[in-house]
Amino acid sequence: MTQAIQKTLRDSAGMRWTALLLLALAMFCSYIFMDILSPIKDLMQETRGWDSTAFGTMQGSEVFLNVFVFFLIFAGIILDKMGVRFTAVLSGAVMLVGAVIKWYAVAESFAGSGLETWFTNNLNYIPLFDELGVSPFYEGMPASAKFAAVGFMIFGCGCEMAGITVSRGIVKWFKGREMALAMGSEMALARLGVATCMIFSPFFAKLGGQISVTRSVAFGVVLMCIALIMFVVYFFMDKKLDSQTGEAEEKDDPFKVSDIGKILSDSGFWLVALLCVLYYSAIFPFQKYAVNMLQCNLTLTEPAADSFWANPQVTIVQYVIMLVVAAAGFASNFMKDKTKKYSLLGLSFVALVTYCYMGYMRQSAESIFAVFPLLAVLITPILGSYVDHKGKAASMLVLGSLLLIACHLTFAFVLPMFKGNTVGGIIIAYVTILVLGSSFSLVPASLWPSVPKLVDAKVIGSAYALIFWIQNIGLWLFPLLIGKVLDKTNPGVSDPTQFDYTWPLVMLACLGVAALILGLVLKVVDRKRGLGLEEPNIK
């Protein structure tokens, strides 16, 4: 009689993918809230008086505490000492607190309150931070933007803590198995949050024909409650695993500050970390302005109020079609039967074309940009599986950088040439956005699974924390820089749909060039030192 008994939850494919689903759903919700105001930048200027500098400063504040108060470093230490499940629940609670504060900051009840008066009169000068030019506030910044920045800072602490915790959790459940596929799949699902945000944030803001940005943020707060529930369920699942394996959440060999020095002295670690900050800085800050960029470069005409395409219910239909694109494309990767595989791929393609047609008919910049993660959902599992079985992680990073450069330069110089051409401009936008999203999928499939090859397992939480901290420097700086560059290069422009985005996009393309150079250097270092970045995870 063969022994077919599964020894632990981790040995069961169904259970470890269930654990992954819980973590991915929590990050899905956090990604929605992260960009909840991005597709309604124009409404924030019209209803709350946030110009591009105020908007960019508030958006960059998300990572301020992580970078300048070193919260992410502490988060890594907490993760190494307290373990995955405690840190997961803590991060969910912190995100929820920050989300509630940001919601109140943009609520109608904040206007005219004593809190608004206090924020108007205070935080206009922050000693040392002002001198260094890194203050998250400035004199003249709207009070609502200041208070929203406070909430976003707190949310950012929880969100980045969740990010390193999820990465560590995946390593715990999938090490020696399909780890790159798991990390890629988690990010593919999480990034559907970007598309969800782009569709539903404007939907709630304009619901009933009355503009209310508060509704959009309230939608995000509800999702953060769901994220916390996902982490709590994971807590009990992870605890059960440890009871089966005899592993302890606290380490027998406790974390030492000297371990950080060991990590920082490794040149391979620095190359991966710098690649990460350059690559992510060219994507996440762009997401916060992408809808407005499309509004400025496309010729869009709102459908008539009595038109079928102006009906709010079309938003729901379009979102369902988007889910069909993602689900069918993602599931096709796991089909052994070729007939089923290509049937799902065909369904995904037809649904994608239908979605794009609906976006064109709705003349909606938000729904056009929402295709951003869809191709990534399809190819990320393919890339992850390839890295697991064939390797070539460093080569994928080089390819991702090349695609990144091409896409930002297309947005900067090609797309504006099609302004006035309603069909051509939207086609160029769709293709470029899809390619940019696919290039983004190369990072989780290749970069994150490479970290365990560079550092000792005992300090992997701290290694992820250090990479996230370095990454957060870019995520703080570039939303702010894009806002400042927009205001400087568009003097006197008051209409938020008439900005010239050429120079911000060129700046982001330069980040891609720097990432390309580092990627090539990483390939050379990997070959000389035998880091194993080009080798498969499963041997």
Side-chain angles (χ1 to χ4, degrees):
M1 182 177 177
T2 57
Q3 290 185 346
I5 299 173
Q6 300 290 350
K7 293 182 179 179
T8 68
L9 293 178
R10 188 163 47 200
D11 294 319
S12 165
M15 294 309 292
R16 64 176 181 269
W17 284 92
T18 298
L20 178 74
L21 182 62
L22 291 170
L23 295 174
L25 285 174
M27 294 309 295
F28 169 83
C29 294
S30 71
Y31 267 55
I32 294 175
F33 192 85
M34 187 188 303
D35 279 316
I36 200 70
L37 295 182
S38 300
I40 53 174
K41 176 182 180 292
D42 56 328
L43 299 183
M44 296 308 299
Q45 181 164 341
E46 293 170 7
T47 64
R48 296 295 184 271
W50 295 12
D51 61 13
S52 293
T53 299
F55 183 82
T57 303
M58 191 285 302
Q59 294 282 39
S61 69
E62 178 197 356
V63 296
F64 180 83
L65 294 178
N66 290 322
V67 174
F68 296 106
V69 187
F70 304 102
F71 181 81
L72 252 178
I73 307 301
F74 296 126
I77 296 173
I78 292 170
L79 177 57
D80 280 329
K81 292 185 74 68
M82 303 301 294
V84 173
R85 58 178 176 268
F86 172 87
T87 315
V89 175
L90 177 63
S91 64
V94 173
M95 283 194 289
L96 180 58
V97 170
V100 170
I101 293 174
K102 186 173 179 179
W103 164 77
Y104 181 66
V106 301
E108 284 77 6
S109 56
F110 178 78
S113 67
L115 202 56
E116 182 190 39
T117 302
W118 190 91
F119 273 92
T120 299
N121 297 330
N122 294 278
L123 300 180
N124 294 312
Y125 170 75
I126 311 295
L128 184 61
F129 289 111
D130 269 275
E131 278 74 15
L132 293 174
V134 298
S135 176
F137 314 108
Y138 60 87
E139 188 169 3
M141 185 176 182
S144 58
K146 287 183 186 176
F147 194 36
V150 171
F152 213 24
M153 286 180 204
I154 296 171
F155 168 83
C157 289
C159 187
E160 296 304 318
M161 185 193 294
I164 60 172
T165 303
V166 167
S167 296
R168 176 64 176 271
I170 294 173
V171 171
K172 179 176 182 176
W173 283 78
F174 285 88
K175 191 168 185 179
R177 296 176 174 87
E178 54 283 88
M179 186 165 65
L181 176 60
M183 286 192 171
S185 299
E186 180 269 323
M187 287 308 300
L189 178 57
R191 284 188 185 134
L192 271 180
V194 178
T196 304
C197 172
M198 296 301 159
I199 287 181
F200 281 105
S201 180
F203 171 78
F204 284 111
K206 300 172 182 177
L207 192 62
Q210 183 177 3
I211 301 297
S212 173
V213 295
T214 310
R215 285 195 296 260
S216 296
V217 185
F219 165 64
V221 171
V222 172
L223 291 174
M224 295 321 303
C225 293
I226 295 173
L228 180 57
I229 293 171
M230 294 297 102
F231 280 137
V232 170
V233 175
Y234 174 83
F235 178 97
F236 291 104
M237 193 171 178
D238 190 80
K239 188 175 183 179
K240 176 67 173 176
L241 174 65
D242 281 355
S243 69
Q244 292 177 332
T245 61
E247 296 173 2
E249 280 286 275
E250 287 82 6
K251 305 298 178 185
D252 294 327
D253 186 8
F255 175 86
K256 299 186 292 291
V257 175
S258 60
D259 291 330
I260 294 180
K262 294 176 184 176
I263 298 170
L264 295 178
S265 63
D266 188 284
S267 60
F269 165 83
W270 274 108
L271 285 170
V272 170
L274 291 174
L275 257 171
C276 177
V277 68
L278 290 169
Y279 204 89
Y280 275 73
S281 294
I283 296 284
F284 281 125
F286 170 72
Q287 283 178 193
K288 300 181 186 302
Y289 291 87
V291 170
N292 188 232
M293 183 275 295
L294 292 175
Q295 290 170 337
C296 296
N297 285 306
L298 295 175
T299 302
L300 300 172
T301 305
E302 266 193 56
D306 58 349
S307 165
F308 167 78
W309 299 107
N311 191 320
Q313 293 179 353
V314 176
T315 302
I316 309 296
V317 174
Q318 195 177 15
Y319 186 66
V320 171
I321 293 173
M322 174 195 293
L323 294 180
V324 172
V325 176
F330 186 79
S332 69
N333 291 285
F334 302 93
M335 293 295 159
K336 304 288 186 186
D337 186 286
K338 286 190 175 181
T339 302
K340 292 181 180 177
K341 182 183 183 71
Y342 290 113
S343 296
L344 285 171
L345 280 173
L347 174 61
S348 182
F349 178 76
V350 170
L352 177 61
V353 172
T354 304
Y355 175 89
C356 291
Y357 173 74
M358 293 183 72
Y360 167 74
M361 293 303 295
R362 293 184 64 205
Q363 294 287 287
S364 164
E366 308 93 72
S367 62
I368 291 172
F369 185 70
V371 301
F372 175 68
L374 294 187
L375 194 56
V377 173
L378 170 61
I379 70 172
T380 298
I382 299 174
L383 296 172
S385 182
Y386 186 86
V387 172
D388 281 332
H389 294 91
K390 302 293 184 181
K392 304 298 181 185
S395 298
M396 285 190 178
L397 292 172
V398 171
L399 176 60
S401 299
L402 287 169
L403 294 175
L404 183 70
I405 296 166
C407 289
H408 281 312
L409 291 180
T410 299
F411 284 133
F413 298 108
V414 179
L415 187 61
M417 294 169 58
F418 285 83
K419 188 157 188 177
N421 185 334
T422 55
V423 177
I426 289 178
I427 290 175
I428 292 291
Y430 270 134
V431 172
T432 310
I433 292 165
L434 284 167
V435 173
L436 183 65
S438 67
S439 78
F440 198 17
S441 68
L442 292 162
V443 176
S446 54
L447 189 148
W448 297 120
S450 300
V451 177
K453 297 179 180 180
L454 299 172
V455 300
D456 188 88
K458 179 175 72 72
V459 292
I460 194 169
S462 298
Y464 278 123
L466 284 168
I467 292 177
F468 274 58
W469 177 72
I470 295 167
Q471 168 193 319
N472 271 229
I473 295 174
L475 300 187
W476 158 76
L477 178 63
F478 282 93
L480 187 151
L481 281 181
I482 294 173
K484 286 184 177 294
V485 171
L486 271 179
D487 280 339
K488 291 292 184 183
T489 56
N490 293 273
V493 178
S494 57
D495 186 345
T497 64
Q498 297 299 318
F499 290 126
D500 181 353
Y501 268 85
T502 302
W503 287 109
L505 290 166
V506 169
M507 177 176 67
L508 296 178
C510 290
L511 292 178
V513 173
L516 174 62
I517 295 170
L518 279 181
L520 294 172
V521 172
L522 182 63
K523 283 176 65 71
V524 174
V525 171
D526 176 60
R527 192 179 305 119
K528 287 183 176 179
R529 291 180 51 190
L531 297 175
L533 300 182
E534 294 282 84
E535 296 178 5
N537 292 322
I538 299 175
K539 300 180 182 178

